[in-house]
Amino acid sequence: MPERRKKRGPMIDFLLIGLIISLTTIILFIILSKDDFKFQKISASKETNSDSIKSKRSTESSAFPGIRIVSDVSNDDRTPFAIHYPETDTKAFNDAVLQYITDSKENYLSSMKENKDKEAMGELNISLETFPYQKHYYSFVLTKTLYTGGANPEVSTKTFFINHETGKLISIETLLNNDENNLSVLATHVRNDLQQNLKLKEDLFKDDVIKSTEPKWSNFHRFAIVDNSLQFYFDEYEIASGAAGPQTVKLPLSLINPLLASEFQIAMEKPAKPITTGDPNKKRIALTFDDGPHPKVTEQILNTLDKYNAKATFFMLGSRVQYYPDIARDVLARGHEIGNHSWNHPVLTKLSLESAGNQYASTVAEIEKAINQKPTVFRPPYGATNDTINAQIPIPVVLWSIDTLDWKFRDAQQLLPHVKNNLHNNAIVLMHDIHQSTADGLDAVLAYLQGQGYEFVTVSEILPYRQK
């Protein structure tokens, strides 16, 4: 009879069942652990994305060769921004611009995140203006308007000036040929422009103006060449009250041309010579009047000139134009030429170059403010000048050939004899429209000269004949 198979004991069955349960538990634990890890990763990812601000960035070509415009815009409900900035093929320039943009955006978002008013809405806007200069240069002006709460947004400016062929960033030091004397003269021009701006009279922070226009390179790093001027930018509240807003000082390139390094200078054109007809030896004379305007004397002289249909040139002091701008306008309206005679009549050769430049520039600004145009000729007080000073003056420097000595004798009867004794063709006659005796003696002078066949012309009209 075959041997019967032995049955398994209950202990073995129990162990097998326990082993199966253990393996199943381990497998389930591993599976569930992986899913949980995946869930944690997904949750963390969602949390990170919720903290970030999505924006749309695009890059477009522009009308300026080699310049692309980058736009970075976000329509986030609480922290919207619109940013526009330039991009070139030069890494160093792009890095400098991007650093400014990144810092501006991060500071804005951080400020809004820290704002206790979680319902407050901010705004960041960075706009771009591009100004080409000559063949190789671009000025970029980035204006930032930032609002993170409070009454009004903050407005500030950042500028970049580059050689677009090399991509090199150009500093104010390079622009002024690394010459501290040039910086000093420039600083004076900027300060005078601000201090003499009547629109800013009540809003300027006087001490801040002085501090911000000290001849330090760091004070003039925000600049751009726009059309025919070198412009400097001052942020809101930097030198004036919020009511005045940000300020821009515009200096004509013709004024500061000698201060610039040669590669940035403009070609100075000589004043156009008047068209001449007829006999080049025709009798001409240029009558000039210094030190005005005067509310009584100048008006009397103008009336006498009208009587003889005579034109003249008035070399005015800026300090007097400031008080009598209406007289300056009347001089121009009657067809006469207006020249610059310094601000307050110092001996220019005894001043520093900076101070001499200040005398010229402040008077230009005051005359332009009064008559809406710049003076066309310059006469140094006492005729005291030199080549260094003349090099700073972008218009003709004019002296005289007949001194009537009206300033010395103050005698109406002596005016004509001094003219007759020194008379010659194409003469430039020196007189002063602040002395009553000059106004009283002028009629006799004009009557005599007209009787001798002289034509009365302005200084600018007579200069071409004197240069022959």
Side-chain angles (χ1 to χ4, degrees):
M1 194 175 169
E3 185 177 347
R4 295 183 64 183
R5 187 177 298 173
K6 291 183 179 180
K7 291 184 178 181
R8 237 172 6 197
M11 182 59 70
I12 295 175
D13 292 335
F14 178 79
L15 291 173
L16 289 172
I17 293 171
L19 180 60
I20 293 171
I21 292 173
S22 297
L23 290 172
T24 302
T25 300
I26 292 171
I27 293 171
L28 288 174
F29 177 80
I30 292 173
I31 293 173
L32 290 175
S33 295
K34 287 183 177 180
D35 288 342
D36 184 61
F37 180 68
K38 287 180 180 179
F39 175 77
Q40 290 177 3
K41 286 179 66 179
I42 292 171
S43 298
S45 177
K46 288 181 178 179
E47 186 178 353
T48 300
N49 288 336
S50 67
D51 286 343
S52 64
I53 303 299
K54 293 182 179 179
S55 64
K56 182 178 180 181
R57 184 175 300 171
S58 61
T59 303
E60 299 177 354
S61 59
S62 74
F64 306 102
I67 305 299
R68 299 177 293 277
I69 307 301
V70 180
S71 299
D72 188 7
V73 180
S74 168
N75 293 319
D76 182 76
D77 290 339
R78 186 166 180 266
T79 55
F81 57 79
I83 301 171
H84 307 277
Y85 58 93
E87 181 182 82
T88 69
D89 294 326
T90 304
K91 184 178 184 301
F93 170 74
N94 292 343
D95 288 347
V97 173
L98 192 57
Q99 184 66 58
Y100 168 73
I101 296 299
T102 301
D103 290 346
S104 297
K105 188 162 71 170
E106 289 182 352
N107 290 338
Y108 163 62
L109 296 176
S110 296
S111 296
M112 289 304 298
K113 187 175 181 180
E114 295 169 3
N115 194 326
K116 294 180 180 179
D117 183 1
K118 300 304 178 183
E119 300 299 321
M121 179 178 175
E123 180 184 3
L124 172 63
N125 184 287
I126 300 179
S127 61
L128 168 66
E129 291 181 284
T130 304
F131 302 99
Y133 177 63
Q134 295 182 355
K135 294 181 179 180
H136 310 303
Y137 305 104
Y138 282 125
S139 291
F140 300 106
V141 180
L142 285 78
T143 303
K144 177 169 68 177
T145 303
L146 173 67
Y147 182 77
T148 58
N152 299 301
E154 299 175 12
V155 181
S156 59
T157 302
K158 177 71 173 178
T159 66
F160 298 91
F161 186 53
I162 69 166
N163 181 327
H164 74 85
E165 289 190 344
T166 65
K168 181 182 178 181
L169 280 164
I170 298 169
S171 65
I172 187 65
E173 290 91 334
T174 301
L175 191 71
L176 298 183
N177 205 30
N178 289 285
D179 189 323
E180 292 190 353
N181 289 329
N182 290 346
L183 172 64
S184 183
V185 175
L186 178 83
T188 300
H189 287 323
V190 173
R191 180 178 296 176
N192 288 337
D193 188 277
L194 292 168
Q195 291 177 333
Q196 295 167 21
N197 188 334
L198 294 181
K199 294 180 180 178
L200 295 176
K201 187 175 182 181
E202 302 300 325
D203 294 307
L204 280 183
F205 302 148
K206 295 181 180 179
D207 291 341
D208 290 334
V209 169
I210 297 297
K211 183 178 180 180
S212 296
T213 56
E214 290 179 353
K216 298 179 179 178
W217 296 114
S218 58
N219 279 338
F220 300 96
H221 64 278
R222 284 169 294 179
F223 70 91
I225 297 181
V226 181
D227 296 328
N228 295 314
S229 67
L230 176 60
Q231 301 189 173
F232 293 93
Y233 300 85
F234 295 89
D235 290 341
E236 195 172 29
Y237 299 104
E238 185 176 0
I239 58 171
S241 66
Q247 293 302 312
T248 303
V249 172
K250 302 178 181 180
L251 300 180
L253 291 177
S254 58
L255 172 64
I256 51 92
N257 202 51
L259 308 179
L260 303 178
S262 58
E263 60 265 38
F264 305 109
Q265 290 183 354
I266 58 174
M268 296 293 290
E269 296 181 1
K270 294 181 179 180
K273 293 183 178 181
I275 299 174
T276 58
T277 57
D279 184 1
N281 296 314
K282 182 178 180 179
K283 290 183 177 181
R284 300 175 190 82
I285 196 164
L287 305 178
T288 68
F289 300 90
D290 289 10
D291 297 355
H294 187 283
K296 180 183 177 182
V297 177
T298 303
E299 285 297 322
Q300 183 178 335
I301 288 174
L302 289 173
N303 291 336
T304 303
L305 291 170
D306 284 349
K307 177 180 176 181
Y308 291 91
N309 194 28
K311 300 306 175 188
T313 300
F314 290 77
F315 288 95
M316 298 184 177
L317 295 175
S319 58
R320 295 189 66 85
V321 174
Q322 186 178 42
Y323 287 101
Y324 306 111
D326 54 330
I327 305 298
R329 286 190 287 271
D330 191 23
V331 170
L332 183 68
R334 298 206 203 188
H336 304 291
E337 183 176 30
I338 292 180
N340 181 334
H341 195 42
S342 81
W343 181 259
N344 58 0
H345 211 277
V347 179
L348 297 182
T349 53
K350 293 184 178 180
L351 301 179
S352 66
L353 185 59
E354 174 188 353
S355 296
N358 176 30
Q359 287 282 330
Y360 172 80
S362 57
T363 304
V364 170
E366 198 64 45
I367 289 176
E368 186 174 20
K369 192 183 302 179
I371 67 173
N372 202 34
Q373 67 182 52
K374 293 180 174 61
T376 49
V377 284
F378 175 73
R379 173 173 285 167
Y382 313 103
T385 188
N386 55 42
D387 291 342
T388 302
I389 292 174
N390 291 347
Q392 304 295 316
I393 309 299
I395 55 180
V397 177
V398 180
L399 299 182
W400 55 86
S401 61
I402 298 177
D403 186 349
T404 62
L405 300 178
D406 62 336
W407 55 272
K408 181 177 182 180
F409 294 107
R410 310 285 181 89
D411 184 347
Q413 302 304 316
Q414 293 199 39
L415 195 64
L416 177 57
H418 278 95
V419 173
K420 290 174 66 174
N421 293 339
N422 298 281
L423 187 59
H424 61 273
N425 195 19
N426 297 321
I428 298 177
V429 182
L430 171 63
M431 293 178 280
H432 298 79
D433 59 326
I434 57 171
H435 304 313
Q436 184 60 49
S437 56
T438 301
D440 293 341
L442 183 62
D443 190 288
V445 171
L446 293 176
Y448 173 78
L449 292 173
Q450 190 175 76
Q452 295 296 312
Y454 278 89
E455 177 186 4
F456 303 106
V457 298
T458 65
V459 158
S460 288
E461 289 174 312
I462 212 168
L463 284 179
Y465 298 101
R466 292 181 60 82
Q467 293 168 358
K468 288 184 177 181

